[in-house]
Amino acid sequence: MREMGAKALRLGIPLSAHLDLTYRCNERCVHCYLDHDDHGEMTLAEIKRLLDQLAEAGVFFLTLSGGEIFMRRDLFDIVEHARKLSFCVKLKTNAVMIRKAKAERLAALGVDSVQVSVYSHRADVHDAITKLPGSFRRTVEGIRLLRESGIRVSVANVLMKENEGDYRDVRALAATLGADYTVDPTITPMMDGERSTLGLNIDAAALRDVMRDPALVGDVDAFCAPPAGPLAEEDALETLPCSAGHTACYISPYGDVYPCVQFPLACGNVRRTSFGEIWRDSPQLNAVRSITVHDLNGCSTCVHGGSCSRCPGLAYLEGDMRGPSTQDCEKSFARTGVPSRNLLQKKDLVSRTDQAPARGARGAESRFPVFWLTAAR
């Protein structure tokens, strides 16, 4: 896999693509960053044409997600076409709508794996987050049916204030179901940049517990990792900060192409331009590709440079894709106890805004997560 990734990087091949089939969903999760209204999602014919173009471009790993993918009645037609093109197909779903026949059909189609979100081992907490009564019971049953059909399942556990103490029990639940487990302690802004959801982030103490839990080594930040790349370690400053736009991309239900699902920099639309042309010629993608670790403001000399999970998409949502991601700085601080220069600057900002009029203080708190501001004070 390392050789495959390095070769794709050298040749400019989009090894993996994440395609959201719909933003419609039967849940209304409190932390969700999506607009669930349908503004004209791609038709089956358009998606099949896109899949043909992705195959031609060299995509191998195809993740189909949403919204909730089972809201599309043509889901199995899409999966069947993808498998005919020999994609390694991974699905993301809440599993609420999965029944035995659906699980068996997915298995027959040769789906590689299914990721299912579970927020708590407590039904009331899970259901309060999804805002769908009975969703915990139906999700767990869906996982059981998938496993009984022989499909590999990964339980994805996003942490927020409502469930911050439940991750060990969710991990145990995943084990009893025969599923893998990943935990993500980061709540992201809305795709339009609106940041109110950040108020759901866990506080500094809870984040420290998660980041230092030896049982979770290898699980935290499993959703997004920097590419291994073909370069030697001594060339670290010239390495790439993320696979987004290099060997991976994201496509919305409306055909918009982005470097990543967490990197909402519009790079073109497959309804107007072929995917191959966008991947090759997009000025936005080429701008992302031009960035190396050396170009990152404040990051290239940071003490956490070798271990940081910096997300360029989160940095972009803070205003500069070449700048630091404060949420990743916070995770590095929670892991090591050593603040980055970026966090020290934020602490200085907080100290100054504490002495400023109330309007300025509110402005600072609306921009940066509350748990860092509290810790800084």
Side-chain angles (χ1 to χ4, degrees), residues 9 226-244 246 288-296 299-300 305-308 310:
L9 190 60
L231 302 177
E233 289 185 3
E234 58 267 23
D235 296 323
L237 289 180
E238 299 304 317
T239 59
L240 307 175
C242 179
S243 59
H246 293 276
V288 171
R289 292 171 187 145
S290 71
I291 303 172
T292 64
V293 171
H294 187 277
D295 301 316
L296 300 180
C299 295
S300 60
S307 61
C308 181
R310 175 191 176 274

Side-chain angles (χ1 to χ4, degrees), residues 326 329-330 333 339-347 372:
T326 299
C329 291
E330 287 158 348
F333 176 65
S340 66
R341 181 185 303 175
N342 179 46
L343 287 189
L344 291 173
Q345 289 173 341
K346 297 294 187 297
K347 180 177 180 179
W372 163 248

Side-chain angles (χ1 to χ4, degrees), residues 172-184:
L173 174 63
T176 64
L177 293 170
D180 298 328
Y181 174 82
T182 59
V183 60
D184 184 2

Side-chain angles (χ1 to χ4, degrees), residues 224-225 227 241-249 258-260 263 279 285 288-289 312-313:
C224 190
C242 179
S243 59
H246 293 276
T247 59
C249 67
Y258 302 92
C260 172
F263 197 160
W279 181 257
L285 281 176
V288 171
R289 292 171 187 145

Side-chain angles (χ1 to χ4, degrees), residues 185 220 363:
V220 178

Side-chain angles (χ1 to χ4, degrees), residues 91-120:
L91 305 180
K92 292 187 179 184
T93 174
N94 57 37
V96 166
M97 299 173 69
I98 290 179
R99 301 293 182 268
K100 183 177 180 180
K102 290 180 179 178
E104 291 176 346
R105 189 170 179 190
L106 291 177
L109 287 170
V111 167
D112 175 77
S113 60
V114 178
Q115 183 186 95
V116 181
S117 295
V118 178
Y119 300 106
S120 176

